[in-house]
Amino acid sequence: MLKHLIIFYKVSSLGPCNEDVMSSSGKRRLKYLQWSTFLSATFGYGMYYVCRLSLNVVKKPIVDEGIFSETELGIIGSVLFFTYAVGKFTNGFLADRSNINRFMTTGLLVTALINLCLGFTHSFILFAVLWGVSGWFQSMGAASCVVGLSRWFTDKERGSYYGFWSASHNIGEALTFIIVASIVSVCGWRYGFFGAGMVGLLGALIVWRFFHDSPESKGFPPVNVSKEKKTMSASETADFNKAQRQVLTMPAIWILALSSAFMYISRYAVNSWGVFYLEAQKGYSTLDASFIISISSVCGIIGTMFSGVISDKLFGGRRNVPALIFGLTNVLALCLFLLVPGVHFWLDAVAMILFGLGIGVLICFLGGLMAVDIAPRNASGAALGVVGIASYIGAGLQDVMSGVLIEGHKTIRNGVEVYDFTYINWFWIGSAILSVFFALWVWNAKQNKALIISGV
């Protein structure tokens, strides 16, 4: 069985070269395959997010029906983040060695099927297990997309395409808070999972048809042909391993990981509980609350896409100044969203605009780029791994703590559930403030160049 799985997922064999790859028709064919892979990766990963965030739209209806408590929903949500953190590490290694078309299709297909099942699941244990399994398969998406961009685009091209692909999670968030919320408003929470599952199945078909494994599998030579030798000497290998170990001992990397973890707490506080908060505290309908939260996702696209331009063009390549500015923007947005009493649609919308822009930039800077800047160049992956695991552990702990704090300060008055969000407000805002605080600790951190291998 294992042998058959390995054969099924191994990198595609070389395809027949039926035309002159240097001819105009060959170049057009290559360009078509590149754009096909890029677009299917972008929209396919966006549909991954629809399947990942479906629970966040239906939390209030689930609580209202007495299916699960707020604490149980927090635990369920955290299970996905924890399995996702582990899976992001393991599946990153597997994707490098896999047929990414089959790898990414499998992940989206399984998480879509799990969503289809969740609408009919009332067991807390079963729901948590299924959601955790979904988290592990969710982690197959990003790894496949990054490997795909590396296989299909040159080093000079990949940065631009990666920046635009990074907006895919915002696209998925917006689709979730619009499409799934519309379905829930009309048909109920169970059909929200059903709708997310159908979107996932559509995405799996798109990925299977248009996301290609490698240029070689289509009869083209490798796009990325290193001008240097492909194997490292024993001394270079020792330096490579030493650089990765040194990342683990660099205080600045761990401080940035903490900063990112607290930023992810505020990010997923709004993504996971924002709709619930607007329904329970301000009396919005599911559709209106989801629409307001979707504004942050749309604005996040702008923040993510232009984060590099902001730091390179306006601040001379320095990340610390824009990280401080947008970190404070994140704090301001949460204060407007959480601390202003009463229902003010336009104020809530403005808060989500600021929140989306702030988080969009911070995901790029605190979520990896600042760590890569100060890590040895031949240990960038290790730096990203440290920050990534810390970020999703933070997101998971947030879901548990938020659920406990929300349920722990709920009272029944005249038969109506009344929530006191005082503690949850300061937990979310405090996390955003701590993110800024830890980022300031590495204000003048410089790249460690001692172990950079020449030419890598």
Side-chain angles (χ1 to χ4, degrees):
M1 180 64 177
L2 180 60
K3 180 180 179 181
H4 291 297
L5 283 175
I6 293 174
I7 294 174
F8 181 77
Y9 286 107
K10 73 176 183 179
V11 177
S12 301
S13 57
L14 298 179
C17 186
N18 297 322
E19 58 183 339
D20 183 1
V21 295
M22 298 305 295
S23 66
S24 58
S25 61
K27 291 180 179 178
R28 285 196 302 270
R29 173 66 176 166
L30 176 60
K31 184 61 67 175
Y32 165 79
L33 292 171
Q34 287 176 317
W35 273 99
S36 173
T37 299
F38 166 70
L39 291 175
S40 60
T42 301
F43 289 103
Y45 193 56
M47 293 176 183
Y48 261 88
Y49 258 79
V50 174
C51 292
R52 185 190 306 183
L53 299 179
S54 54
L55 176 63
N56 301 343
V57 178
V58 302
K59 284 182 175 177
K60 190 65 168 63
I62 287 178
V63 171
D64 289 343
E65 287 193 19
I67 306 299
F68 301 125
S69 68
E70 295 86 348
T71 299
E72 288 173 329
L73 286 174
I75 294 172
I76 289 170
S78 70
V79 171
L80 183 142
F81 288 125
F82 293 143
T83 57
Y84 183 84
V86 175
K88 198 167 185 180
F89 178 79
T90 58
N91 285 326
F93 284 92
L94 293 175
D96 281 331
R97 298 161 174 79
S98 298
N99 179 323
I100 53 175
N101 171 280
R102 294 177 178 178
F103 200 70
M104 186 172 179
T105 301
T106 298
L108 188 48
L109 177 63
V110 172
T111 194
L113 293 175
I114 288 175
N115 267 267
L116 292 176
C117 296
L118 289 177
F120 306 97
T121 304
H122 290 184
S123 166
F124 167 69
I125 298 297
L126 179 59
F127 202 107
V129 169
L130 288 174
W131 202 233
V133 172
S134 177
W136 192 86
F137 280 95
Q138 279 278 335
S139 66
M140 299 171 77
S144 300
C145 291
V146 172
V147 171
L149 294 177
S150 296
R151 290 180 182 177
W152 281 97
F153 297 97
T154 64
D155 292 340
K156 292 182 178 179
E157 296 174 308
R158 189 165 63 248
S160 299
Y161 283 98
Y162 183 90
F164 284 101
W165 169 79
S166 295
S168 59
H169 71 269
N170 297 106
I171 295 173
E173 290 173 4
L175 288 174
T176 303
F177 292 124
I178 294 173
I179 295 177
V180 177
S182 299
I183 294 173
V184 172
S185 297
V186 175
C187 304
W189 68 267
R190 291 174 177 80
Y191 288 90
F193 285 117
F194 183 76
M198 294 303 295
V199 170
L201 291 178
L202 175 62
L205 289 174
I206 292 173
V207 171
W208 175 73
R209 176 64 181 82
F210 297 106
F211 188 65
H212 306 291
D213 187 28
S214 66
E216 301 93 310
S217 67
K218 299 298 180 180
F220 290 91
V223 170
N224 275 312
V225 180
S226 176
K227 295 181 181 179
E228 307 294 330
K229 56 186 179 181
K230 294 185 177 181
T231 59
M232 291 188 291
S233 65
S235 62
E236 289 175 327
T237 300
D239 281 346
F240 179 81
N241 295 334
K242 187 177 180 181
Q244 289 191 322
R245 289 195 299 270
Q246 181 160 339
V247 164
L248 300 178
T249 64
M250 291 177 66
I253 297 292
W254 288 103
I255 292 171
L256 282 171
L258 274 175
S259 180
S260 181
F262 282 111
M263 181 268 290
Y264 264 64
I265 288 176
S266 64
R267 175 196 176 190
Y268 276 103
V270 173
N271 276 356
S272 296
W273 294 96
V275 174
F276 185 100
Y277 172 82
L278 288 175
E279 290 176 294
Q281 178 72 359
K282 300 192 176 185
Y284 286 101
S285 67
T286 299
L287 187 59
D288 288 341
S290 297
F291 174 76
I292 291 173
I293 301 300
S294 73
I295 294 173
S296 69
S297 302
V298 175
C299 292
I301 297 174
I302 300 173
T304 301
M305 289 174 58
F306 290 98
S307 57
V309 176
I310 290 170
S311 63
D312 292 341
K313 301 298 182 183
L314 300 182
F315 298 98
R318 299 179 68 195
R319 323 291 184 195
N320 52 3
V321 177
L324 173 61
I325 292 172
F326 286 97
L328 293 175
T329 300
N330 183 33
V331 174
L332 173 61
L334 288 172
C335 289
L336 290 176
F337 186 64
L338 299 171
L339 300 183
V340 177
V343 179
H344 308 282
F345 179 87
W346 289 110
L347 184 62
D348 291 330
V350 169
M352 287 298 96
I353 291 173
L354 295 175
F355 180 80
L357 292 173
I359 291 295
V361 173
L362 293 175
I363 285 175
C364 290
F365 290 169
L366 296 181
L369 190 54
M370 291 176 70
V372 170
D373 283 346
I374 65 176
R377 195 176 357 174
N378 50 330
S380 297
L384 283 172
V386 171
V387 173
I389 289 177
S391 298
Y392 279 98
I393 288 176
L397 292 175
Q398 172 278 135
D399 245 0
V400 175
M401 286 297 298
S402 294
V404 170
L405 288 173
I406 290 172
E407 184 180 12
H409 295 87
K410 177 178 68 174
T411 57
I412 307 296
R413 298 178 187 173
N414 299 322
V416 178
E417 294 179 341
V418 178
Y419 293 88
D420 180 1
F421 284 95
T422 302
Y423 293 96
I424 202 73
N425 291 349
W426 289 114
F427 171 48
W428 294 349
I429 295 172
S431 297
I433 293 173
L434 285 173
S435 176
V436 175
F437 173 74
F438 282 111
L440 288 174
W441 273 24
V442 292
W443 183 267
N444 292 316
K446 301 295 183 182
Q447 184 181 47
N448 186 326
K449 297 181 179 180
L451 295 174
I452 295 177
I453 298 173
S454 176
V456 176

